[in-house]
Amino acid sequence: YNDTNALRYFPQIRDLALAEKLEEAEIMTDEHFYGVPRAQQAYEPIGNLLLSFEDVGNARDYRRELDLETGVAKISYTAGDAILTREVFASYPDRVLVMHISGDKPGRVSVEARMKSPYLDASTEMPGRLVINGSWKKVGEETNWLIAPVQGQGLKFQTELVAWPQGGSSEAVNGTLRIQKADAVTFILTIATSYLNYTNIGGDPPALCRQILSRAAAKDYATLRQRHEADFRGLMSRVHLNVGDASLNQKPTDERLKAVRAAGSDANLEALVFQFGRYLLAASSRAGGQPANLQGIWNEDVLPPWGSKYTININTEMNYWPVEETNLSECHLPLFDALRDLAQSGAITAREHYDVGGWVLHHNFDLWRGTAPINASNHGIWQTGGAWLSTHLWEHYLFTGDLEFLHATAYPLMKGAALFFVDALVKDPKTGFLYTGPSNSPEQGGLVMGPTMDREIVRTLFGETIAAARALNVDAGLRERLTAMRRQIAPLEIGQYGQLQEWMEDTDDPKNQHRHVSHLWAVYPGSEITPFGTPELFKAAQQSLIFRGDAATGWSMGWKLNLWARFLDGDHAYRIMRNLVTPASDAKPAKAGVYKNLFDAHPPFQIDGNFGATAGVAEMLLQSDDPYGTPTSLTAVQSGEAAFLHLLPALPAALATGKVSGLVARGGFQVALDWRNGKLVKATIAARQSKPLKVRYAGKEIEVQAKAGQTYTFGPDLKAL
């Protein structure tokens, strides 16, 4: 995607921006500084599996359910005098989609199955099996400016559907598998593409499908289900949250949503939304696959919203906010695999667009690891996407203590991201401080120099890279250089309205209620602005959030929920949660809220709001950032040398009584909490690492020299039980 001519123009663009000729800088950027093309590729659906049933015109007692613990979806209904049941799951261990259809009376299952794809090249049927082959191609005349209009040889795929009937008859004809009067039938579906990596699409989809299906064929339905459930339950059962009335789980979700909208109380619905976010993460981000994108993996459109790719000025990161704290650490791995690729392509972009070292990533990437600027100058020229994603590497280390991961994966990527800014930071001619630019404060304000969010991210990246190098005892010279440059990065400022300034200049509009709250990054997910370390900045950041208001799109409410939790205001955080968990229209575009299946309506559907809600609930119950940190400090907690647990830091009155178990804190501590009438009853903390641990609750703090393998139990006064 890089434009090899971009470098000819970058010095002029930067000089214009430094001279505050921003409109001229934007014009030159729009003409000369984007990738080629200036958009990226979309994540596409293979197609649909279509089922046609006999004798269901008078169906009744229809019920659809999803078991979040096992990852099995179930549909049941009565047709005539028989109850028909469909059970569906996508098996990570066996790489197949499995559907089992059965009746409670013999010979009552009659169904036709066929497949449909916008990219179909050929289809084949044979006894008990359907096969479709296809390849990426332009479909239809409609276009979308956010999706690159590239033609040429693309990915190839094969999809195979196999039927295992019990009793009755089976035939394959005219692209259809026809099952008649069976007692039950199991359909096994698998898909393979020619994708090997982002530079090689020479794989063999038919061979891979045969390999997968031959392994699946050696197991019966019960075995396939048992293997799937053991895998999925192994993730989901780690965390349990009990609040509200659990008996309401027997009530249809759409009715519960309507009751909440009518000002009813259903704290258990928030617990369901919390676990649903964990389910979506476990179902969309597993080792060996791609990271969860803007729709997770659930895109049905040929021209999906925003290309259903990776937008990294908030959305992709939000997908992974709950991953460590809610005990799904291995679901982080696909993101780290993508970062290895992005560091390679981003090094080329750094060289060809900026003539600097290290690697850079702007506000979007796709399967082909595009790292060049795209779309438009008012949001696409943003240098800190890779830096932000690199902070996830350090977070994974803080939660796991995995030194091998830090050595082999995290530190090389963090170092490369930091080296870009070692070369690319410029000196502000007015103040002499270092800052980025030209850049943006996503996604507003146009092209500027040194937006607050950039400075927060780069300062954090430098600090974490220093800490990582120190933990590994490497690169002493680089540590010194980063330490010196970190002190020179322009500081955070409080503006004329008592707000945290979003830009170098004090130009914030207190009436601006934009969905992005970019300059509050240092509160969450960062930790530069803290309640006890930087009380004045903490108050100013809170004022900025008040200016922005509570109403927003789904993902924006997800961010605001976490921010209010970090501001230790549980009731305000819960108000945002209630706004997020309200019914949205089924129409496209819908109003913000959630659909009846609890997907975030954004609008339209976008999955990050679901993950933001899960992270926000966890932040209300447990925080493990250092509440005494400052922008210039690198505390023992931030460097991984100590740990800090803040118990029930933002507990709302609406969740006055409950229990949670399995949450994880930085330092690897696993935490269970029991509270009643808004007060802690018991905290149980299991240590995975040996290090100093501070525990805070209700204004009181204690310190423990925690030892790995030990469990510590405290009462409401933080005395050992």
Side-chain angles (χ1 to χ4, degrees):
Y1 289 106
N2 300 311
D3 183 352
T4 55
N5 292 315
L7 186 57
R8 294 168 52 193
Y9 299 94
F10 177 68
Q12 301 171 64
I13 294 169
R14 183 175 55 196
D15 288 346
L16 287 169
L18 285 167
E20 299 183 1
K21 298 179 180 180
L22 299 177
E23 290 187 10
E24 295 178 48
E26 288 189 11
I27 291 171
M28 185 171 285
T29 297
D30 284 333
E31 292 176 349
H32 299 293
F33 201 64
Y34 295 107
V36 181
R38 60 190 294 172
Q40 294 173 354
Q41 288 293 290
Y43 167 63
E44 302 281 4
I46 290 291
N48 294 303
L49 170 62
L50 303 173
L51 303 177
S52 299
F53 294 90
E54 291 185 3
D55 302 324
V56 293
N58 61 347
R60 60 191 187 278
D61 302 327
Y62 183 87
R63 179 181 175 90
R64 182 174 61 181
E65 59 192 87
L66 171 64
D67 188 324
L68 298 182
E69 188 93 348
T70 65
V72 176
K74 181 180 177 181
I75 294 171
S76 63
Y77 56 90
T78 301
D81 62 348
I83 298 174
L84 296 178
T85 302
R86 297 204 301 273
E87 294 173 325
V88 188
F89 56 88
S91 170
Y92 177 70
D94 290 302
R95 303 301 200 270
V96 289
L97 181 77
V98 180
M99 177 183 291
H100 184 71
I101 306 173
S102 61
D104 69 338
K105 291 181 170 57
R108 300 306 294 270
V109 176
S110 294
V111 59
E112 292 184 354
R114 60 189 176 91
M115 292 186 288
K116 185 178 179 181
S117 172
Y119 304 107
L120 180 67
D121 290 335
S123 63
T124 308
E125 67 269 348
M126 57 197 78
R129 185 183 301 250
L130 294 180
V131 179
I132 64 171
N133 304 95
S135 56
W136 182 89
K137 58 181 74 69
K138 180 73 171 65
V139 176
E141 298 301 319
E142 190 177 354
T143 61
N144 184 318
W145 75 283
L146 295 172
I147 300 174
V150 176
Q151 298 259 12
Q153 180 65 50
L155 284 176
K156 298 178 181 179
F157 72 87
Q158 179 156 308
T159 303
E160 296 199 26
L161 178 68
V162 177
W164 299 345
Q166 295 173 231
S169 63
S170 170
E171 62 176 339
V173 59
N174 297 327
T176 299
L177 282 179
R178 184 175 298 151
I179 310 299
Q180 290 287 324
K181 300 186 184 308
D183 300 336
V185 62
T186 301
F187 288 112
I188 309 292
L189 184 143
T190 195
I191 301 169
T193 78
S194 58
Y195 182 86
L196 295 176
N197 58 57
Y198 78 103
T199 67
N200 186 343
I201 59 171
D204 187 344
L208 187 54
C209 279
R210 286 194 300 270
Q211 182 184 66
I212 293 170
L213 287 174
S214 66
R215 289 198 298 260
K219 309 171 184 73
D220 59 13
Y221 171 70
T223 302
L224 289 170
R225 177 165 176 165
Q226 182 276 326
R227 284 167 53 82
H228 161 73
E229 287 195 14
D231 167 73
F232 209 79
R233 197 187 295 271
L235 296 172
M236 292 300 296
S237 65
R238 295 173 184 173
V239 174
H240 292 283
L241 173 62
N242 300 304
V243 291
D245 183 359
S247 69
L248 291 174
N249 285 330
Q250 302 304 312
K251 187 176 181 181
T253 306
D254 59 338
E255 294 181 16
R256 298 176 71 179
L257 288 167
K258 289 178 183 177
V260 168
R261 191 173 191 179
S265 176
D266 188 353
N268 186 259
L269 183 62
E270 277 87 39
L272 184 66
V273 170
F274 168 81
Q275 289 288 23
F276 186 54
R278 296 184 68 243
Y279 162 85
L280 294 173
L281 193 54
S284 65
S285 184
R286 300 296 296 273
Q290 298 299 321
N293 63 42
L294 280 169
Q295 278 71 36
I297 53 174
W298 294 279
N299 167 49
E300 61 182 0
D301 298 319
V302 169
L303 290 175
W306 307 279
S308 190
K309 49 188 185 289
Y310 302 95
T311 303
I312 55 169
N313 58 17
I314 175 61
N315 312 95
T316 300
E317 291 88 351
M318 184 178 285
N319 286 1
Y320 289 91
W321 281 355
V323 66
E324 301 291 345
E325 197 165 13
T326 69
N327 219 331
L328 295 171
S329 186
E330 56 267 69
C331 293
H332 230 153
L333 299 181
L335 183 65
F336 302 152
D337 289 341
L339 283 178
R340 291 187 187 94
D341 295 344
L342 291 163
Q344 296 172 4
S345 57
I348 301 172
T349 301
R351 184 171 64 251
E352 294 187 346
H353 280 251
Y354 297 99
D355 193 27
V356 299
W359 65 277
V360 65
L361 171 59
H362 294 82
H363 92 293
N364 260 111
F365 74 89
D366 61 1
L367 182 69
W368 312 113
R369 306 317 189 215
T371 52
I374 62 168
N375 294 357
S377 62
N378 67 352
H379 62 274
I381 311 302
W382 185 68
Q383 303 171 345
T384 44
W388 186 350
L389 285 176
S390 293
T391 67
H392 282 246
L393 297 159
W394 183 245
E395 285 287 284
H396 184 71
Y397 168 72
L398 288 182
F399 277 87
T400 65
D402 188 342
L403 270 172
E404 177 56 30
F405 167 80
L406 185 65
H407 168 73
T409 299
Y411 180 65
L413 296 172
M414 295 166 65
K415 177 180 176 180
L419 287 174
F420 172 83
F421 292 101
V422 167
D423 292 343
L425 290 178
V426 295
K427 185 175 290 189
D428 177 14
K430 293 181 180 178
T431 66
F433 288 120
L434 297 177
Y435 58 21
T436 59
S439 187
N440 286 278
S441 185
E443 292 177 359
Q444 59 174 326
L447 210 59
V448 297
M449 296 298 294
T452 295
M453 184 192 211
D454 278 16
R455 296 173 356 241
E456 293 168 338
I457 291 174
V458 176
R459 187 162 38 236
T460 296
L461 173 66
F462 279 11
E464 292 176 353
T465 304
I466 293 165
R470 193 164 63 203
L472 295 171
N473 195 26
V474 297
D475 290 337
L478 177 62
R479 276 184 266 160
E480 292 180 7
R481 187 174 187 188
L482 292 179
T483 299
M485 292 186 71
R486 190 168 182 261
R487 295 193 188 104
Q488 298 172 49
I489 296 173
L492 305 178
E493 300 285 357
I494 298 173
Q496 59 185 312
Y497 303 108
Q499 87 288 3
L500 181 70
Q501 288 182 198
E502 189 160 0
W503 293 277
M504 289 289 291
E505 299 79 16
D506 188 4
T507 56
D508 293 282
D509 179 359
K511 297 179 181 179
N512 173 18
Q513 295 196 337
H514 197 276
R515 63 192 180 279
H516 278 265
V517 288
S518 304
H519 58 310
L520 304 185
W521 189 94
V523 178
Y524 185 92
S527 58
E528 282 193 341
I529 297 178
T530 60
F532 312 123
T534 59
E536 293 183 356
L537 288 172
F538 190 75
K539 181 179 179 180
Q542 193 171 30
Q543 184 62 59
S544 290
L545 188 56
I546 291 170
F547 285 157
R548 283 293 203 265
D550 290 348
T553 57
W555 64 260
S556 181
M557 285 192 284
W559 198 349
K560 291 176 179 180
L561 165 60
N562 282 275
L563 285 166
W564 281 114
R566 280 285 175 93
F567 285 131
L568 309 179
D569 190 336
D571 288 333
H572 203 145
Y574 187 75
R575 188 189 316 162
I576 302 293
M577 184 73 178
R578 286 290 301 270
N579 291 344
L580 186 61
V581 186
T582 55
S585 166
D586 288 330
K588 290 186 178 181
K591 80 170 189 65
V594 293
Y595 293 115
K596 292 176 184 177
N597 66 350
L598 299 184
F599 269 153
D600 169 30
H602 177 266
F605 163 54
Q606 190 170 297
I607 204 164
D608 34 34
N610 290 106
F611 296 129
T614 298
V617 172
E619 284 288 316
M620 287 192 279
L621 303 178
L622 176 69
Q623 295 179 19
S624 61
D625 58 305
D626 190 343
Y628 296 96
T630 70
T632 55
S633 69
L634 187 63
T635 68
V637 174
Q638 292 168 323
S639 64
E641 297 163 3
F644 194 108
L645 303 187
H646 195 169
L647 311 179
L648 304 178
L651 184 68
L655 304 181
T657 298
K659 294 180 180 181
V660 68
S661 62
L663 293 180
V664 181
R666 293 167 183 85
F669 295 90
Q670 189 159 305
V671 180
L673 301 172
D674 185 350
W675 66 95
R676 195 169 300 123
N677 298 322
K679 305 294 184 182
L680 179 69
V681 175
K682 183 174 70 173
T684 304
I685 302 168
R688 297 174 180 171
Q689 303 173 41
S690 297
K691 60 180 56 186
L693 168 66
K694 285 186 179 180
V695 181
R696 180 182 180 89
Y697 172 69
K700 183 177 181 179
E701 291 180 11
I702 61 167
E703 185 165 351
V704 178
Q705 292 297 317
K707 294 183 179 180
Q710 297 293 312
T711 298
Y712 304 88
T713 304
F714 302 100
D717 55 0
L718 295 186
K719 291 182 179 179
L721 296 178

